[in-house]
Amino acid sequence: MIRFLINTAIFFLSALVGLAVADLLLDGFSIAITSYIFVAIIFALIQAILSPLILKGVHKNANAFIGGVGLISTFVALFITSIISEGLKITGLSTWILATLIVWLAGAIAAFILPFFLAKKVVEENRS
């Protein structure tokens, strides 16, 4: 149960980081300051649901695209989140493409780095 909660927190925080980086770097990408948590929750939930479904469909029908599943699920999750939440606005084709790349890359880097920080904190707490 603890592992599930930690993985969920890492997944949510990595989504939040990816969205924040895109918001900082792209003019046509904006998240209302009061909507950050809500947008991140919606985005993370949609991506968590879609990623396995997209992977299964790609694996069955188009193995060559397996590496792009993260990008595809990020784009679809951004699209659905922008429809559901009034707090997320993305304008322009180039912004959609760059936002997908930035949110995916920043989220992936955060998902890789965050466990090291959490593990370090747990080790330090257990020592004291």
Side-chain angles (χ1 to χ4, degrees):
M1 182 66 173
I2 302 270
R3 179 173 279 181
F4 172 76
L5 293 174
I6 290 170
N7 287 337
T8 301
I10 290 169
F11 192 74
F12 169 74
L13 290 172
S14 66
L16 185 62
V17 166
L19 292 165
V21 170
D23 192 17
L24 289 171
L25 295 178
L26 301 172
D27 289 333
F29 187 101
S30 65
I31 301 174
I33 194 75
T34 57
S35 300
Y36 258 99
I37 301 298
F38 182 66
V39 167
I41 289 170
I42 291 171
F43 175 80
L45 284 173
I46 292 169
Q47 194 169 33
I49 293 166
L50 289 178
S51 291
L53 296 174
I54 292 172
L55 179 60
K56 188 175 183 178
V58 167
H59 184 67
K60 184 184 275 188
N61 299 315
N63 273 339
F65 293 112
I66 286 179
V69 168
L71 289 170
I72 295 166
S73 66
T74 299
F75 173 78
V76 174
L78 284 172
F79 179 73
I80 294 171
T81 303
S82 71
I83 291 171
I84 293 173
S85 172
E86 292 181 15
L88 174 64
K89 302 287 183 225
I90 305 172
T91 56
L93 180 62
S94 61
T95 303
W96 276 100
I97 293 168
L98 290 172
T100 299
L101 290 170
I102 291 169
V103 170
W104 170 77
L105 182 60
I109 292 169
F112 180 75
I113 293 173
L114 283 170
F116 294 110
F117 287 109
L118 291 176
K120 181 180 176 182
K121 185 175 181 176
V122 169
V123 168
E124 288 173 356
E125 287 176 1
N126 285 338
R127 284 186 183 167
S128 52

